[in-house]
Amino acid sequence: YDLYRLKTFEEIKQLGIFEDDKKTIKIIEWPELLKDKINDKLEINFKYRENENERSVSFLGFGKWKDFKIDAI
């Protein structure tokens, strides 16, 4: 879900992000636009490296994801 262009919470709600489906993983770009914060989440951050064609990736878990380790995949 890309929330960047949405203007109201009603528009976000219509996407169905909050439907109770425990068998799916939801990827949300611009989650800071959500009114209610998500407790169980895994943040995936991409950063540009010195070479503009390279990125570094970091993971930060919260709630049930707090002990996530990339080598567990």
Side-chain angles (χ1 to χ4, degrees):
Y1 299 96
D2 182 353
L3 306 184
Y4 183 72
R5 297 194 188 325
L6 301 181
K7 303 283 187 241
T8 67
F9 181 73
E10 191 61 35
E11 290 177 303
I12 294 172
K13 202 167 111 179
Q14 289 176 357
L15 293 174
I17 296 173
F18 305 107
E19 292 177 6
D20 191 22
D21 185 355
K22 297 182 189 271
K23 295 182 180 179
T24 63
I25 295 174
K26 296 176 173 122
I27 299 173
I28 303 172
E29 187 174 10
W30 300 97
E32 57 272 10
L33 299 178
L34 294 174
K35 183 191 278 187
D36 296 323
K37 300 303 175 202
I38 300 171
N39 295 322
D40 293 323
K41 63 183 176 181
L42 178 62
E43 290 185 1
I44 305 170
N45 297 293
F46 297 88
K47 293 187 179 180
Y48 287 99
R49 299 196 56 160
E50 198 170 306
N51 179 338
E52 67 181 43
N53 295 319
E54 296 178 1
R55 308 290 183 274
S56 62
V57 180
S58 63
F59 298 87
L60 182 59
F62 298 88
K64 70 180 183 181
W65 293 96
K66 70 179 176 169
D67 296 323
F68 176 81
K69 303 284 184 240
I70 189 66
D71 58 343
I73 296 178

